Amino acid sequence: MQILRSYRSGVDLLTNADLADRSGLPRPTVSRLTRSLVEQGFLDYDIPSKGYRLSPVFLSLAYVFRQAEDTEETVYPLMRKLAESEGVNVGLALPNQLEMVYVESLRESRRGVFRRAASGSRFPMESTSGGRAYLAALGREQRDAILKRIKEKHGKGWAAIQREIEESVARIAKEGYCVAHWQPGMTAVGAPLVKQDGRIYSLTISFHTPDSLADSIHRYGQLLLGLKQDIRDIWQA
């Protein structure tokens, strides 16, 4: 799985050397794994570049996942309505390892037109409002186990990140949403959204950081909680 996780948006072909650098695995191990993944139909080998690309099987798997989700018919229209009426970005994500993955995402283009961003985009759990919202919804034991793994990535910089996560968890307990400034010039509010089957999603609204930030955070936080309730009502209908 470490080999497959090395592929990101915008990256098509990766050589064994690339995969070793990205995964942290030894070159001999990578060579053995890529050969096995080709044999099993998960990777395709490109002879001219001596690189590997993901095979079409992942498109089939993604289709199965999308079919199992009911967000396209139920949640997406609500997200789009809010995004267009308020001029904000709206996202719905699920956790995967130490990252969050967008299930639905609406982003404003440079021309001011809202478009559906590609599902499957990943973002860090520890430094975003969506990731912290997910962490806040976990039980203490499960959250601590994840934070222990995240701590190993950051070393000396962990103390500040841990403090921000704790503040986000406390704010969600008090107000229902948290705030983060992951991307320059942007502010995001996030809230956890738990489905009937127990899956924990994160719901986010991001907007250009204004001068009157406190007022905007409160306003968009309330809009986020309203959207969350609308989605829950549909899921429970």
Side-chain angles (χ1 to χ4, degrees), residues 75-95:
V75 178
Y76 177 74
L78 295 174
M79 293 173 59
R80 186 176 186 87
K81 181 179 179 181
L82 178 61
E84 292 180 340
S85 64
E86 296 293 333
V88 294
N89 302 327
V90 184
L92 182 74
L94 279 169

Side-chain angles (χ1 to χ4, degrees), residues 4 63 90 108 143 148 182 211:
L4 298 178
Y63 177 75
V90 184
E108 185 178 14
R143 181 165 65 244
K148 182 178 180 180
W182 178 50
D211 294 331

Side-chain angles (χ1 to χ4, degrees), residues 39-229:
E39 292 172 353
Q40 295 175 38
F42 290 101
L43 290 180
D44 290 335
Y45 182 62
D46 183 75
I47 296 176
S49 66
K50 296 182 179 179
Y52 301 86
R53 60 166 55 92
L54 297 177
S55 78
V57 70
F58 289 98
L59 188 58
S60 297
L61 293 173
Y63 177 75
V64 172
F65 178 87
R66 294 291 296 175
Q67 289 293 101
E69 287 286 316
D70 58 2
T71 57
E72 185 169 5
E73 298 296 330
T74 57
V75 178
Y76 177 74
L78 295 174
M79 293 173 59
R80 186 176 186 87
K81 181 179 179 181
L82 178 61
E84 292 180 340
S85 64
E86 296 293 333
V88 294
N89 302 327
V90 184
L92 182 74
L94 279 169
N96 183 256
Q97 294 293 310
L98 303 182
E99 297 177 306
M100 302 298 292
V101 180
Y102 278 121
V103 178
E104 298 286 356
S105 179
L106 278 157
R107 292 289 181 267
E108 185 178 14
S109 70
R110 293 179 180 178
R111 297 180 179 179
V113 177
F114 282 87
R115 60 182 178 83
R116 192 176 196 171
S119 301
S121 300
R122 293 183 273 182
F123 57 92
M125 186 177 290
E126 68 273 20
S127 54
T128 60
S129 64
R132 293 171 183 175
Y134 166 73
L135 289 169
L138 297 175
R140 168 62 71 175
E141 185 175 344
Q142 189 176 1
R143 181 165 65 244
D144 287 347
I146 292 177
L147 293 180
K148 182 178 180 180
R149 294 174 60 195
I150 294 176
K151 179 181 179 180
E152 296 173 356
K153 296 195 312 179
H154 291 279
K156 294 181 179 179
W158 170 242
I161 296 173
Q162 183 182 31
R163 183 170 59 253
E164 292 177 357
I165 292 174
E166 291 173 350
E167 291 172 354
S168 294
V169 172
R171 183 163 190 167
I172 286 176
K174 182 180 179 181
E175 301 180 44
Y177 62 90
C178 65
V179 183
H181 308 277
W182 178 50
Q183 295 179 322
M186 298 293 291
T187 297
V189 291
L193 178 61
V194 183
K195 205 172 184 180
Q196 297 96 313
D197 60 10
R199 280 184 296 174
I200 303 173
Y201 294 76
S202 69
L203 187 63
T204 58
I205 291 176
S206 59
F207 51 94
H208 294 286
T209 303
D211 294 331
S212 55
L213 182 57
D215 291 341
S216 294
I217 287 175
H218 176 75
R219 180 172 183 275
Y220 290 122
Q222 296 308 306
L223 287 172
L224 179 70
L225 295 180
L227 176 60
K228 173 181 175 178
Q229 186 59 53

